[in-house]
Amino acid sequence: MEKSYTSLSIAIKALQQEGFVEDYNLCDAGIENKNRKTVHLAETLNVVKYYCFEGKTNPADNTVLYVIETNTGEKGLLVDAYGAYSGNISLEMVRKLKIEHP
């Protein structure tokens, strides 16, 4: 995995080539893989790495790309906006996706 990427689209393409091909979305229970029709709880996930991207023209365009492996062997990506944890996701998922700043 490269340490940084210049854009979200470049990161997604590179990570997909490394095998992180599943597309995850946040849901009430955890994350959902709509293609496989699976839902994974926070405790079954490993956030391998994350990348932050800031919009050049609009600060509201800030996103985080999470690189995720599940305990069932799925490898994929979750794209989320900064501060999007106000929705209906579990506290465990909020903790799992919390970005620690050095």
Side-chain angles (χ1 to χ4, degrees):
M1 259 182 264
E2 189 175 311
K3 291 188 177 188
S4 65
Y5 296 98
T6 56
S7 74
L8 178 62
S9 60
I10 290 171
I12 290 172
K13 184 176 180 178
L15 291 164
Q16 286 173 334
Q17 290 175 347
E18 291 184 30
F20 293 90
V21 296
E22 302 301 333
D23 181 21
Y24 297 118
N25 295 300
L26 287 172
C27 65
D28 292 349
I31 61 169
E32 177 182 25
N33 182 333
K34 288 188 179 183
N35 291 331
R36 292 183 182 234
K37 297 183 178 18
T38 56
V39 174
H40 301 280
L41 304 176
E43 59 267 15
T44 67
L45 306 176
N46 178 32
V47 177
V48 176
K49 191 152 180 78
Y50 63 84
Y51 299 93
C52 300
F53 298 93
E54 295 182 4
K56 292 182 181 182
T57 58
N58 185 350
D61 290 340
N62 294 340
T63 56
V64 180
L65 174 63
Y66 295 96
V67 182
I68 295 174
E69 293 180 355
T70 69
N71 67 345
T72 60
E74 290 179 26
K75 293 169 61 173
L77 306 170
L78 169 67
V79 177
D80 195 19
Y82 286 1
Y85 305 122
S86 59
N88 294 327
I89 64 172
S90 69
L91 182 58
E92 292 81 13
M93 186 59 68
V94 171
R95 288 182 181 136
K96 179 67 75 166
L97 299 178
K98 183 178 179 183
I99 296 174
E100 300 293 334
H101 297 283

